[in-house]
């Protein structure tokens, strides 16, 4: 027996990637339905070799369905996820709506799989922010060995993190720079993104941090350890897919860079590519379409006691969103529903 699965928001970047990954990982689907807003009703999407037409999220009855993968944003999730959960369907939500709810587990399967047991309070499981997901995959095995005190992270986040509109804006602006009569002013972003970097993702908060930076702090504490201190600077860069992070870690105990490299090599979900030579590291272009979180540039930080630096790269549409959601669905199947 397999599962009856719903993908809500199937026409968006993340929804389409969810369908790709469900197919690639041979998730045991007995029946699959794809939902979208009324304006996208009837749009065709691919699931393996099949083509499916979207149905109306607004009128869909979730009764009898096992798992719903939501990729529709916080406002729509707030409206439709409670109805799905009440109908007995386990909701795996990619928006930020439930991430900080103490009654909803926030899951990265390689890091805190046991927390999935807490799903029953609301029948909802939250998917973390894309920049957090790849970072905690790298931090957790190192924390288990030497206990992390503090993390300083600078992100280099691709435009696909802002959806199709973000990718379109980079494409259109890049072309317009070579055509003086075709001006493309910023719409999705606050400043020109082509040939530029923007140290601003999401809204500003009272203390001067942005919401994206706050998310990385709050989510790392919830997923790994509330005692870890995190400070983040989140930057949008003119890259289509793939988030990169420069991570500086301070540990309670000494951790040699060679041992750290070996720990990461053995950790689930991680690929270490770290040669001290030209090209001996991974960049966003090389991570696109891959399931792994890539780690490079592992080295001691001699300016603090027990310090380490590393470079972390991952496909934000996969591990940062769709892949992690499907991995949670696999976890739900194996540990809770036990049908597949």
């Amino acid at each position: 027996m397999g599962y009856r699965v719903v993908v809500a928001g199937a026409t968006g970047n993340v929804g389409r990637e969810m369908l790709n990954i469900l197919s690639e990982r041979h998730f045991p689907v007995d029946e699959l339905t794809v939902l979208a807003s009324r304006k996208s009703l009837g749009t065709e999407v691919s699931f393996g070799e099949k083509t499916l037409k979207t149905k109306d999220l607004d009128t869909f009855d979730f009764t009898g369905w096992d798992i719903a993968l939501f990729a529709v944003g916080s406002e729509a999730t707030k409206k439709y996820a409670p109805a799905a959960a009440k109908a007995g369907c386990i909701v795996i939500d990619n928006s930020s709506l439930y991430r900080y709810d103490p009654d909803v587990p926030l899951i990265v399967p390689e890091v805190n799989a046991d927390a999935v047991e807490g799903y029953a309070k609301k029948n909802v499981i939250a998917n973390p922010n894309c920049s957090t997901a790849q970072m905690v995959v790298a931090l957790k095995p190192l924390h288990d060995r030497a206990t992390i005190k503090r993390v300083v992270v600078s992100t280099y986040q691709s435009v696909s993190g802002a959806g199709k509109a973000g990718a379109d804006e980079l494409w259109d602006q890049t072309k317009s720079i070579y055509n003086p009569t075709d001006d493309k002013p910023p719409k999705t972003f606050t400043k020109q993104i082509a040939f530029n970097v923007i140290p601003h993702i999401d809204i500003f908060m009272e203390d001067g941090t942005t919401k994206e930076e706050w998310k990385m702090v709050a989510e790392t504490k919830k997923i790994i350890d509330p005692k870890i201190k995190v400070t983040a600077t989140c930057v949008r860069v003119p890259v289509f897919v793939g988030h990169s992070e420069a991570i500086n870690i301070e540990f309670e105990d000494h951790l040699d860079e060679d041992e750290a490299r070996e720990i990461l090599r053995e950790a689930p979900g991680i690929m270490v590519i770290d040669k001290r030579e030209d090209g001996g590291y991974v960049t966003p272009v090389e991570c696109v379409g891959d399931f792994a979180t890539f780690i490079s540039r592992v080295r001691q930080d001699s300016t603090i006691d027990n310090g380490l630096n590393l470079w972390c790269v991952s496909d934000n549409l996969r591990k940062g969103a769709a892949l992690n959601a499907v991995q949670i669905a696999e976890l739900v199947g194996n540990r809770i529903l036990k049908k597949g």
Side-chain angles (χ1 to χ4, degrees):
M1 288 178 66
Y3 300 97
R4 301 185 77 213
V5 179
V6 177
V7 175
T11 60
N13 285 348
V14 174
R16 289 176 187 271
E17 201 63 29
M18 285 174 172
L19 292 168
N20 290 338
I21 293 169
L22 285 166
S23 174
E24 287 175 30
R25 291 174 74 89
H26 304 291
F27 188 84
V29 174
D30 259 5
E31 187 177 353
L32 178 72
T33 196
V34 289
L35 307 179
S37 63
R38 203 156 284 175
K39 67 179 182 181
S40 299
L41 200 60
T43 301
E44 293 187 342
V45 294
S46 298
F47 173 60
E49 294 181 358
K50 296 179 182 177
T51 299
L52 305 173
K53 282 190 177 181
T54 57
K55 298 178 181 177
D56 187 3
L57 174 58
D58 196 47
T59 58
F60 187 75
D61 182 1
F62 287 88
T63 305
W65 293 85
D66 296 308
I67 297 169
L69 302 173
F70 267 64
V72 293
S74 293
E75 284 305 309
T77 299
K78 190 174 184 178
K79 183 177 180 182
Y80 300 110
K86 189 176 180 181
C89 182
I90 297 176
V91 173
I92 299 169
D93 177 35
N94 194 61
S95 81
S96 62
L97 181 65
Y98 290 105
R99 289 176 188 158
Y100 316 106
D101 186 328
D103 291 334
V104 174
L106 180 65
I107 302 290
V108 176
E110 298 94 333
V111 177
N112 63 335
D114 289 346
V116 76
E117 304 295 341
Y119 84 98
K121 291 179 181 176
K122 290 194 173 178
N123 225 25
V124 176
I125 300 167
N127 213 22
N129 187 42
C130 48
S131 50
T132 307
Q134 67 186 71
M135 182 172 77
V136 296
V137 169
L139 294 183
K140 181 59 163 63
L142 302 177
H143 181 64
D144 288 346
R145 161 62 181 81
T147 309
I148 295 171
K149 289 172 61 178
R150 181 172 185 256
V151 175
V152 181
V153 56
S154 297
T155 72
Y156 308 77
Q157 293 178 229
S158 68
V159 294
S160 57
K164 184 178 182 297
D168 288 346
E169 188 156 308
L170 173 57
W171 177 251
D172 291 339
Q173 275 186 1
T174 302
K175 290 188 295 181
S176 74
I177 284 170
Y178 295 101
N179 182 357
T181 63
D182 184 27
D183 184 43
K184 296 290 183 185
K187 289 183 181 177
T188 302
F189 303 111
T190 55
K191 296 199 176 193
Q192 175 185 313
I193 185 61
F195 303 97
N196 198 18
V197 298
I198 305 171
H200 175 194
I201 301 176
D202 213 322
I203 60 171
F204 273 97
M205 304 181 76
E206 284 188 11
D207 65 355
T209 62
T210 64
K211 188 77 175 288
E212 185 82 359
E213 292 157 356
W214 175 85
K215 288 174 188 175
M216 293 194 76
V217 176
E219 292 175 21
T220 301
K221 288 175 176 288
K222 183 173 179 178
I223 294 168
I224 299 183
D225 188 336
K227 297 189 188 75
I228 296 176
K229 296 177 180 179
V230 181
T231 182
T233 301
C234 293
V235 183
R236 191 72 73 188
V237 298
V239 168
F240 283 107
V241 178
H243 288 355
S244 305
E245 297 170 350
I247 306 173
N248 176 266
I249 311 165
E250 182 181 0
F251 297 94
E252 295 276 2
D253 303 317
H254 177 72
L255 178 60
D256 178 80
E257 64 185 44
D258 292 328
E259 185 184 355
R261 214 174 276 113
E262 287 307 310
I263 288 169
L264 291 166
R265 282 199 177 101
E266 296 297 319
I270 290 175
M271 181 76 71
V272 176
I273 308 291
D274 190 18
K275 297 178 182 178
R276 293 177 178 177
E277 60 187 44
D278 292 353
Y281 41 81
V282 173
T283 61
V285 168
E286 295 144 327
C287 81
V288 175
D290 208 297
F291 289 144
T293 294
F294 292 90
I295 303 297
S296 307
R297 303 292 318 281
V298 180
R299 60 204 187 281
Q300 303 295 159
D301 176 4
S302 60
T303 68
I304 54 171
D305 293 335
N306 307 327
L308 204 67
N309 288 302
L310 55 86
W311 175 251
C312 176
V313 178
S314 192
D315 182 329
N316 57 292
L317 297 178
R318 292 207 152 205
K319 187 55 191 170
L323 170 62
N324 200 73
V326 173
Q327 287 176 304
I328 293 172
E330 292 169 347
L331 196 60
V332 167
N334 292 333
R335 295 203 183 189
I336 297 165
L337 299 177
K338 298 178 180 177
K339 282 168 61 177

